[in-house]
Amino acid sequence: MVEESGILELKSFFEPKSVAVVGASRDIRKAGHILLRNLLSFGFKGRVVPVNPNTQQILGLKAYSRVDLIPGDVETAIIVTPAVFVPDIMEDCERKGVRAVIILSGGFSEEGEEGEKLEKEVVQIGRRAGIRIIGPNTTGIINTENGFMSSFTKFSNIIKGNVAFIAQTGNYGGIVLEQIFSSHLFGVSKVVGLGNKCDVDETEILEYLALDDKTQVIFLYVEGIKNGRRFLEVAKKITKKKPIIVVKGGKTDLGAKIALSHTASMAGRDEIFSAACKQAGVIRVSDFEKFLDLAQALSHQPLPKGNKVALIHFSGACLVLGTDMIIESGLKIAELSNISIKKLREITPQWHRVSNPIDIQPSIMMAGADRTYQVAVNTVIEDNNVDAVIVGIGAVEGNCPDDVMVLGMHKEKPILFCLYGNKSLSEKIGRDLRKLGYPVYDSLRRAVDVLSVMCQISKRMNLMVR
Amino acid sequence: MVEESGILELKSFFEPKSVAVVGASRDIRKAGHILLRNLLSFGFKGRVVPVNPNTQQILGLKAYSRVDLIPGDVETAIIVTPAVFVPDIMEDCERKGVRAVIILSGGFSEEGEEGEKLEKEVVQIGRRAGIRIIGPNTTGIINTENGFMSSFTKFSNIIKGNVAFIAQTGNYGGIVLEQIFSSHLFGVSKVVGLGNKCDVDETEILEYLALDDKTQVIFLYVEGIKNGRRFLEVAKKITKKKPIIVVKGGKTDLGAKIALSHTASMAGRDEIFSAACKQAGVIRVSDFEKFLDLAQALSHQPLPKGNKVALIHFSGACLVLGTDMIIESGLKIAELSNISIKKLREITPQWHRVSNPIDIQPSIMMAGADRTYQVAVNTVIEDNNVDAVIVGIGAVEGNCPDDVMVLGMHKEKPILFCLYGNKSLSEKIGRDLRKLGYPVYDSLRRAVDVLSVMCQISKRMNLMVR
């Protein structure tokens, strides 16, 4: 899919043996300090050398005044100085034989003519020297596997997983990651902030992630695609094996104008991008929140093998609305087998009908919440007419399972949860469900939307058997 | 707007001087126990009498075996026995001169023919005796003002406010209320669960709430409207003074079928309902989560007087996407006055452009988060070209205000917040913002959707001055 040499080149961005941090700082509020601390905090085993002409030592590491004065190899440089110094630093890197540079600094083509000139100069030096560049105007790389990163977000922790992000944005990426990690939403394999994309672009990174066995799901935020035809070709192949989900900014004229001043991107005609995504099997969604919703499900849950849904809910109103949503999303309400009806009958009062969607409130009253949820979930999972399950839980004492372990860990069909009710109780239940690998949403709408996308992905990957 | 007699009748549902709880129970898990405890816990000052033929005393109150054996007046009865006993109890109520009955019991017309017969019998007795009925198959009433309620949800607390709910659902209503209260989302004036609507319907309750000075915003969940023409007439008048937001179940054929077995409602043709809402100035949204999002804003924030939005965000990507969303929602990006540009210039590094949408990350780096948010928010609020403000905060140390009090309490223009980042820090900031009356969302999409509806409401109420 990608030439060997290309992959080898990009490897220096993800697995460098040695890295110089140019613009490293002793000031704990500065990006040049935080990213150095991140490199030291999350297990990176390579050599780390701070570069700063005005200090001897930062965070216990000896600092050098220039990259080309560092003794020994320097494979990769992270640059976090003001933009005007970057061309000179690139020349230092050239002299040192650096192979990859991540430029975090802003103030390049996104800020007008002068910046554009500066960026051109940087690209020229890179080409001449054979140095690949990520950025400028970005937060660059996070590789959770080996702890290598150029992010200057203060993370509370890092969770390893199979979800990769490519984002033409830096700051937001960091803050959303901190949200993902601190809320234990899911684990991440690699993050790539692309910024102005003066050299490395989204398609090259896609090719790299396609071959990365730590990555199973790829999310992409772009404001413009550099080479549409190549993107289309590459994405088309990848989406048969790994889902690609994309959010694109700059749909409206004004949005496109803002994109130009954000990452100097040409947004292009939106309908062309949409058509290309469809053709390439790329899922396009409208905002970042959909990313998080989807990633929760795709990182742990199996893809559905059909579109027949069992809806288990304590609220009659949600059964009505949920049925509407499921039908309107192109999914189907599964018809339960006789065996399932019989099993559910055992926990249902005589006066109440049993059918899918399954109104479990009468069962909760009769058999208790633990037994009701256990029987209901396990019954529909075992039913051959059911491909996927959505479960509503009302977190109010007596109405919800005391221990969600009663549900068991199911890996054969996707199960998505909607959780409402008392704040602290629903947080506890949500945490426990996530530990079991189940995605949890605050609304039926979000769960149905996610399941609908899972069906699209399953179709693209030829996993639908009915 | 409503006949005096009608209001007087309905008053017995909200402000009874005395109430009998028929089916009151000593079993702490039963609805008949929890609702009695709720009546005693949340400040209801009227007389409360438990009715249960098998016990002498419940929760310290003397119990009677039948309603008509209670000495003194009984204005209102709450019935929570099995359905089959309800006709007899209605006759007891007739003999006692009870004026209003709330029937919580399920097993009536929503469960088939036999239940339908039972329900008809109950209605007949009610008509004959002049007893108004709410239900059956509901949780009935909550009046936060005086603590009167028939809900059997275990609430952790109750928050008084100006938002009323009318819901053709009981259980979910209770659980969502507990979510609202325990998360301190907003305060509630009245809640009415309508159930099967064998007598009192949504339109009568709308008329009552229109005159209730504690209620400023009305939310309505219905599965079917009993008298479309009257609903339309009444709603048309109310929406000029108070917004009505509606969610309707049973849009699809299958959804409509489920509605029939939930509350025996005829969903009717969806396009007709949609057209009626439009004509009546009723806002129709697709799910409950939109209710909560809207109520957060409508309960405390002023309505916008125009559609020009200032977007303040720390993320360039969110400025791009937010601009797209704002434009696509029919709102506009405000052009800032020269005075505003000058004020913002003071906190912005020289190399960075100042315009709306406002990218504040460079300012946060230069002037700190407290000063940046303070200057940015206060500047756009004072700008005559701005009608509404959306603010993005990234809850990561150093990037967000230490104290949101710096923003001040603004009541002249709506301000909506989007909050991302570290879980515990964003919860703290969210709580503080809500205390100041600001709505907080986990996504730009939700904030823009809410603001767009606020503009519709403002137009309907003739508050748009430009």
Side-chain angles (χ1 to χ4, degrees):
Chain A
M1 197 173 286
V2 60
E3 292 161 41
E4 271 301 303
S5 66
I7 297 179
L8 282 177
E9 271 176 27
L10 292 190
K11 220 174 158 183
S12 297
F13 286 115
F14 294 97
E15 302 167 41
K17 288 191 183 61
S18 50
V19 56
V21 178
V22 190
S25 171
R26 296 173 67 99
D27 183 342
I28 57 166
R29 294 164 310 171
K30 290 213 165 153
H33 183 89
I34 302 167
L35 82 85
L36 194 66
R37 208 174 49 187
N38 278 345
L39 271 174
L40 303 177
S41 302
F42 295 107
F44 179 59
K45 300 274 185 257
R47 182 187 180 209
V48 179
V49 188
V51 175
N52 181 324
N54 306 314
T55 187
Q56 301 284 311
Q57 191 175 308
I58 305 173
L59 284 167
L61 299 171
K62 179 173 166 45
Y64 292 83
S65 60
R66 280 191 354 230
V67 174
D68 53 341
L69 297 179
I70 301 171
D73 277 347
V74 177
E75 185 176 350
T76 299
I78 301 169
I79 303 178
V80 62
T81 67
V84 284
F85 302 130
V86 178
D88 284 350
I89 296 164
M90 284 296 292
E91 284 179 344
D92 296 346
C93 288
E94 183 180 17
R95 273 188 292 277
K96 186 64 203 171
V98 167
R99 290 158 68 181
V101 166
I102 304 168
I103 305 175
L104 307 193
S105 330
F108 287 92
S109 57
E110 82 282 8
E111 293 285 353
E113 255 177 58
E114 253 172 84
E116 213 178 309
K117 249 175 63 189
L118 219 49
E119 193 170 310
K120 272 192 187 149
E121 215 177 317
V122 166
V123 172
Q124 257 170 5
I125 302 167
R127 291 237 171 97
R128 180 178 78 202
I131 300 174
R132 298 303 311 267
I133 304 170
I134 282 184
N137 186 28
T138 182
T139 51
I141 300 292
I142 298 173
N143 181 355
T144 59
E145 198 186 344
N146 64 3
F148 175 69
M149 65 179 74
S150 62
S151 171
F152 50 84
T153 300
K154 280 185 197 164
F155 295 117
S156 53
N157 66 335
I158 296 278
I159 305 177
K160 295 180 192 190
N162 58 9
V163 178
F165 285 87
I166 311 173
Q168 203 172 354
T169 171
N171 193 34
Y172 185 72
I175 282 167
V176 166
L177 275 178
E178 173 58 14
Q179 181 168 334
I180 293 166
F181 295 147
S182 63
S183 304
H184 292 264
L185 290 181
F186 52 85
V188 169
S189 57
K190 312 236 170 356
V191 181
V192 185
L194 286 171
N196 295 2
K197 299 191 289 197
C198 81
D199 178 24
V200 173
D201 70 7
E202 54 281 333
T203 307
E204 277 182 283
I205 301 291
L206 277 180
E207 288 177 305
Y208 184 85
L209 294 176
L211 296 175
D212 175 32
D213 62 3
K214 301 291 176 205
T215 297
Q216 292 308 321
V217 188
I218 303 169
F219 288 88
L220 178 62
Y221 170 73
V222 284
E223 295 180 352
I225 296 283
K226 263 177 98 177
N227 183 334
R229 184 176 298 269
R230 244 188 77 236
F231 173 78
L232 186 66
E233 262 168 41
V234 168
K236 213 182 236 173
K237 285 182 199 152
I238 297 176
T239 54
K240 287 176 186 156
K241 302 270 171 59
K242 299 180 183 182
I244 301 178
I245 325 282
V246 67
V247 168
K248 185 173 174 299
K251 285 170 79 178
T252 61
D253 288 349
L254 192 52
K257 208 180 120 193
I258 310 297
L260 199 60
S261 70
H262 176 221
T263 54
S265 286
M266 298 295 292
R269 277 182 54 203
D270 197 68
E271 53 276 23
I272 294 178
F273 182 73
S274 264
C277 286
K278 209 170 238 178
Q279 215 187 320
V282 169
I283 305 286
R284 184 177 182 183
V285 295
S286 66
D287 52 67
F288 289 119
E289 296 63 46
K290 291 254 174 350
F291 268 2
L292 303 191
D293 285 358
L294 281 167
Q296 264 203 72
L298 293 170
S299 61
H300 286 297
Q301 290 290 299
L303 288 165
K305 297 201 176 76
N307 65 359
K308 299 201 223 80
V309 184
L311 172 60
I312 298 169
H313 214 290
F314 61 88
S315 152
C318 289
L319 295 183
V320 175
L321 289 171
T323 300
D324 284 343
M325 290 175 198
I326 286 167
I327 303 284
E328 288 183 323
S329 302
L331 308 174
K332 286 186 180 139
I333 296 287
E335 203 160 311
L336 299 182
S337 72
N338 289 333
I339 301 172
S340 296
I341 299 281
K342 216 173 133 191
K343 284 191 211 157
L344 292 170
R345 193 73 266 170
E346 278 169 36
I347 53 163
T348 308
Q350 213 40 55
W351 55 267
H352 188 63
R353 256 189 241 108
V354 174
S355 64
N356 183 35
I358 306 165
D359 179 0
I360 52 166
Q361 193 59 34
S363 302
I364 292 175
M365 303 290 213
M366 185 178 111
D370 270 324
R371 181 144 180 259
T372 295
Y373 278 99
Q374 181 181 33
V375 171
V377 169
N378 285 282
T379 297
V380 297
I381 282 291
E382 282 163 23
D383 190 322
N384 285 328
N385 298 338
V386 172
D387 300 311
V389 186
I390 296 178
V391 184
I393 295 183
V396 170
E397 203 197 314
N399 222 69
C400 55
D402 278 333
D403 183 356
V404 297
M405 282 300 292
V406 299
L407 303 172
M409 278 183 73
H410 300 283
K411 288 287 167 204
E412 58 276 38
K413 292 173 187 177
I415 312 183
L416 291 75
F417 285 86
C418 312
L419 193 52
Y420 328 77
N422 178 273
K423 188 169 191 297
S424 55
L425 190 53
S426 66
E427 274 184 7
K428 183 201 165 299
I429 294 173
R431 218 165 31 234
D432 291 349
L433 285 169
R434 288 202 177 100
K435 269 187 209 153
L436 293 174
Y438 296 121
V440 181
Y441 305 103
D442 67 351
S443 81
L444 255 177
R445 168 68 61 196
R446 289 171 102 142
V448 173
D449 283 352
V450 167
L451 188 56
S452 161
V453 171
M454 290 175 91
C455 282
Q456 281 178 60
I457 293 169
S458 185
K459 218 175 265 174
R460 173 75 191 168
M461 289 168 66
N462 264 324
L463 299 175
M464 284 289 201
V465 295
R466 44 190 169 204
Chain B
M1 196 174 288
V2 61
E3 292 160 42
E4 272 301 304
S5 66
I7 297 180
L8 281 178
E9 271 176 27
L10 292 189
K11 220 174 158 184
S12 296
F13 286 114
F14 295 96
E15 302 167 41
K17 289 191 182 59
S18 50
V19 56
V21 178
V22 190
S25 171
R26 295 172 68 100
D27 183 341
I28 57 166
R29 292 165 311 172
K30 289 211 167 154
H33 183 89
I34 301 167
L35 82 86
L36 193 65
R37 209 174 47 187
N38 278 345
L39 271 175
L40 303 177
S41 302
F42 295 107
F44 179 59
K45 301 273 184 258
R47 181 186 182 212
V48 178
V49 187
V51 175
N52 181 327
N54 307 314
T55 188
Q56 301 285 311
Q57 191 175 308
I58 305 172
L59 284 169
L61 300 170
K62 178 171 167 46
Y64 293 83
S65 60
R66 278 185 5 223
V67 174
D68 52 342
L69 297 179
I70 300 171
D73 277 348
V74 176
E75 183 175 352
T76 299
I78 302 169
I79 303 178
V80 62
T81 67
V84 284
F85 302 130
V86 177
D88 284 351
I89 295 165
M90 283 296 292
E91 284 177 345
D92 296 346
C93 288
E94 183 180 16
R95 273 188 292 277
K96 186 64 203 171
V98 168
R99 291 158 67 182
V101 166
I102 304 167
I103 305 175
L104 307 192
S105 329
F108 287 92
S109 58
E110 82 281 8
E111 294 284 353
E113 256 178 58
E114 253 173 84
E116 213 177 308
K117 249 175 61 189
L118 219 49
E119 193 170 308
K120 271 192 188 147
E121 215 177 315
V122 166
V123 172
Q124 257 171 5
I125 302 168
R127 290 237 171 96
R128 181 178 77 202
I131 300 174
R132 299 303 310 266
I133 304 170
I134 282 185
N137 185 27
T138 182
T139 51
I141 300 292
I142 298 173
N143 180 356
T144 59
E145 198 187 344
N146 64 2
F148 175 69
M149 64 180 76
S150 62
S151 171
F152 50 84
T153 300
K154 279 185 199 166
F155 294 117
S156 53
N157 65 335
I158 294 277
I159 305 177
K160 295 180 191 188
N162 59 8
V163 178
F165 285 88
I166 311 173
Q168 204 173 355
T169 172
N171 192 33
Y172 185 74
I175 282 167
V176 167
L177 274 179
E178 173 59 13
Q179 181 167 332
I180 293 166
F181 294 146
S182 64
S183 304
H184 291 263
L185 290 182
F186 52 86
V188 169
S189 58
K190 313 243 172 344
V191 180
V192 186
L194 286 171
N196 294 2
K197 299 191 290 198
C198 80
D199 178 23
V200 173
D201 70 7
E202 55 282 333
T203 307
E204 277 182 285
I205 301 292
L206 277 180
E207 288 177 306
Y208 184 85
L209 294 176
L211 296 176
D212 175 32
D213 62 3
K214 301 291 176 206
T215 297
Q216 292 308 321
V217 188
I218 304 169
F219 288 88
L220 177 63
Y221 171 72
V222 284
E223 296 180 351
I225 296 284
K226 263 177 99 177
N227 183 336
R229 185 177 297 270
R230 244 189 76 236
F231 172 77
L232 187 66
E233 261 168 42
V234 169
K236 213 183 237 173
K237 284 184 201 150
I238 296 176
T239 54
K240 287 177 186 156
K241 301 269 170 60
K242 299 181 183 181
I244 302 178
I245 325 282
V246 68
V247 168
K248 184 173 173 300
K251 284 171 79 178
T252 61
D253 288 350
L254 191 52
K257 209 179 119 192
I258 309 297
L260 199 60
S261 70
H262 175 222
T263 53
S265 285
M266 298 295 290
R269 277 181 54 202
D270 197 68
E271 53 278 22
I272 294 177
F273 182 73
S274 264
C277 286
K278 209 169 240 178
Q279 214 187 319
V282 169
I283 306 286
R284 184 176 182 185
V285 295
S286 65
D287 52 67
F288 289 119
E289 296 63 46
K290 292 253 176 345
F291 267 3
L292 302 191
D293 285 358
L294 282 168
Q296 264 202 73
L298 293 171
S299 61
H300 286 298
Q301 290 290 300
L303 288 165
K305 297 203 176 77
N307 64 358
K308 297 199 225 83
V309 185
L311 172 60
I312 299 170
H313 214 290
F314 61 89
S315 152
C318 289
L319 295 183
V320 175
L321 289 171
T323 300
D324 284 344
M325 290 174 197
I326 286 168
I327 303 285
E328 287 183 325
S329 302
L331 308 175
K332 286 188 180 137
I333 296 287
E335 202 159 313
L336 299 182
S337 73
N338 289 334
I339 301 172
S340 296
I341 299 281
K342 215 173 134 190
K343 284 191 209 155
L344 292 169
R345 192 75 267 170
E346 277 168 36
I347 52 163
T348 308
Q350 214 40 53
W351 55 268
H352 189 64
R353 256 189 241 107
V354 174
S355 64
N356 183 34
I358 306 166
D359 179 0
I360 53 167
Q361 192 60 34
S363 303
I364 291 174
M365 302 290 211
M366 186 179 110
D370 270 323
R371 179 141 181 259
T372 296
Y373 278 99
Q374 181 181 32
V375 172
V377 169
N378 284 284
T379 297
V380 297
I381 282 291
E382 282 163 24
D383 191 322
N384 285 328
N385 298 337
V386 173
D387 299 312
V389 185
I390 296 179
V391 184
I393 296 183
V396 171
E397 202 197 314
N399 221 70
C400 55
D402 279 333
D403 183 356
V404 296
M405 282 300 292
V406 299
L407 303 172
M409 280 183 74
H410 300 284
K411 289 285 167 206
E412 58 276 39
K413 293 172 187 178
I415 312 182
L416 292 74
F417 285 86
C418 313
L419 194 52
Y420 328 76
N422 179 273
K423 189 168 189 300
S424 56
L425 191 53
S426 65
E427 275 183 8
K428 183 202 165 295
I429 294 173
R431 218 165 31 235
D432 291 349
L433 285 170
R434 287 200 178 100
K435 269 186 210 153
L436 293 174
Y438 296 121
V440 181
Y441 305 103
D442 68 351
S443 81
L444 254 176
R445 168 67 63 196
R446 290 172 101 143
V448 173
D449 283 353
V450 166
L451 188 56
S452 161
V453 171
M454 291 175 90
C455 282
Q456 282 178 61
I457 292 170
S458 184
K459 218 175 266 175
R460 173 76 191 167
M461 290 169 67
N462 265 324
L463 298 174
M464 285 287 202
V465 293
R466 42 191 170 204

